[in-house]
Amino acid sequence: MSTPRSPDTGAPPDERPLPPARSKGSAVGGWVLTIALNVAAPILTYNALHDHGWSEFAALLASCVWPVVDSAVHLAWRRRLDEFAVVTLVFLVITAVVSLVGPHSAGALLIKDSAITGLFGLLCLATLLAPRPLMFYFGRKFATDGTPASTSWWNGLWQFEGFRTTVRTMTTVWGAAYCLEALVRIALASMLNTDTMVALSPVLIYGVLGGLILWTTMYGKRARRRGEEHAAAATAQG
């Protein structure tokens, strides 16, 4: 008897191909470029311009040039856009726009920060309606070295139902967590004094991020094991 096949693709259910060997040089180079142009450069640019009298809005907009540069470099180097840079650019623009809205007191700024993380959560949930949700692209950024072979391997995993379910579940959890985190911080900002919230806000931000990263790592490993067990069971039945 032949091995059972997926009705959609004709491939064995969740019998995923192994990833190609990773190029350490390519992976390190990609991450150095990503961190430099999407994290370090925007922060340094914003602080330098703000210290020299630029408004928050203008300094944030000027910082947007770096993700654009990163996208241009990836287009020339990888022949595709870097989704991480695109998301960074979108949120720098959102942050700049939010900075113009409403009062500019310390309490209002804390609420605005919460609104930005809440918008990220809504973005995650909105991409569930897209052909591939946001965490598919973030996963490709973290799980591959950016070379054509590893990118093709990651893209090919989408044919497997178990992989699709895992990515959609991750996107749902990240979106819901950040929407809830934003609501909690806004509620606390309205109840607690500013000094307390200034101390508490980073704890919430990094606590939620750390918890999500830990959960994502553990859930991804469990999902991978389940896929391997299902494939082994299907082969044994065959």
Side-chain angles (χ1 to χ4, degrees), residues 34 38 70-71 74-75 80-87 141:
T34 294
N38 291 284
D70 186 37
S71 295
H74 271 80
L75 273 175
R80 65 176 177 83
L81 279 175
D82 180 17
E83 295 84 10
F84 191 89
V86 173
V87 173
K141 182 72 178 177

Side-chain angles (χ1 to χ4, degrees), residues 137-209:
Y137 301 102
F138 275 26
R140 188 170 67 185
K141 182 72 178 177
F142 284 93
T144 74
D145 57 11
T147 57
S150 62
T151 300
S152 177
W153 162 75
W154 182 262
N155 292 342
L157 294 178
W158 189 251
Q159 68 180 297
F160 300 106
E161 181 181 356
F163 179 79
R164 296 194 299 270
T165 299
T166 298
V167 173
R168 288 181 177 131
T169 300
M170 288 179 176
T171 304
T172 301
V173 170
W174 277 71
Y178 271 111
C179 287
L180 180 61
E181 184 261 2
L183 291 175
V184 169
R185 279 208 290 155
I186 290 172
L188 290 176
S190 64
M191 293 186 296
L192 303 177
N193 61 57
T194 301
D195 290 342
T196 302
M197 272 307 299
V198 167
L200 183 60
S201 187
V203 175
L204 290 173
I205 292 172
Y206 293 111
V208 170
L209 177 60

